[in-house]
Amino acid sequence: MEPIKIDITILAPVRKVWDYFNGPEHITQWNFASDTWECPSAEVDLKEGGKFTSRMQAKDGSFGFDFVGIYDEIIPEKSISYHMEDQRKVKVIFDKIDENTTKVTEIFDPEKQNPVEMQRDGWYAILNNFHKYVENN
């Protein structure tokens, strides 16, 4: 299946966007697709071969999972490539548009259980939540 590509433009410097995307204290504030979900914990070992884990769960406790990845390549303030436990690949690109504008692009391999449109919408909802968090803090 073709990779899915989503992007968003954030009115913030690339350094801030990078830090908020990778800092565990920030990830817990934005890494969920809707207000009925939360990310109570996040661990990040930001280096090639390092691992990250984000706990994603429904606030009512009805469902949850650990989102886990291993970093394959990190170019600070430019891009991150990683793979998930099922070997699907993800690339996140941080494009500095100007001193106070950053475009974030995510390209990811879809999984086979859910429709592509549903996956795109879910990942985009999280990216949009990130966008709002960065611009409001």
Side-chain angles (χ1 to χ4, degrees):
M1 292 200 298
E2 286 292 309
I4 298 171
K5 181 179 178 180
I6 58 174
D7 62 67
I8 202 158
T9 300
I10 301 173
L11 300 176
V14 69
R15 153 106 11 213
K16 178 181 179 182
V17 173
W18 177 268
D19 289 346
Y20 278 39
F21 193 87
N22 294 300
E25 71 279 14
H26 296 297
I27 294 168
T28 58
Q29 303 302 307
W30 60 261
N31 195 22
F32 37 88
S34 76
D35 292 340
T36 61
W37 278 66
E38 63 185 352
C39 179
S41 65
E43 296 176 23
V44 175
D45 184 13
L46 189 62
K47 66 182 183 197
E48 292 177 13
K51 179 178 172 180
F52 69 85
T53 305
S54 298
R55 179 68 186 167
M56 302 172 87
Q57 63 188 32
K59 286 181 179 177
D60 67 7
S62 62
F63 184 75
F65 63 94
D66 290 332
F67 184 75
V68 178
I70 304 291
Y71 296 109
D72 298 315
E73 181 182 56
I74 297 168
I75 303 171
E77 298 182 20
K78 299 278 187 207
S79 68
I80 296 171
S81 296
Y82 66 88
H83 64 276
M84 294 176 264
E85 291 178 306
D86 62 4
Q87 301 307 309
R88 290 184 298 130
K89 296 186 181 306
V90 179
K91 183 164 189 165
V92 185
I93 302 163
F94 301 82
D95 282 322
K96 176 182 174 180
I97 305 300
D98 61 36
E99 291 307 312
N100 292 302
T101 311
T102 306
K103 180 179 175 185
V104 177
T105 304
E106 290 184 327
I107 304 163
F108 61 95
D109 293 337
E111 39 95 348
K112 294 173 177 60
Q113 290 81 8
N114 294 296
V116 168
E117 219 34 61
M118 181 182 183
Q119 294 178 65
R120 180 189 315 278
D121 291 349
W123 280 62
Y124 185 78
I126 294 170
L127 187 59
N128 193 45
N129 212 25
F130 172 68
H131 162 243
K132 289 187 274 191
Y133 175 73
V134 172
E135 287 190 359
N136 292 324
N137 290 284

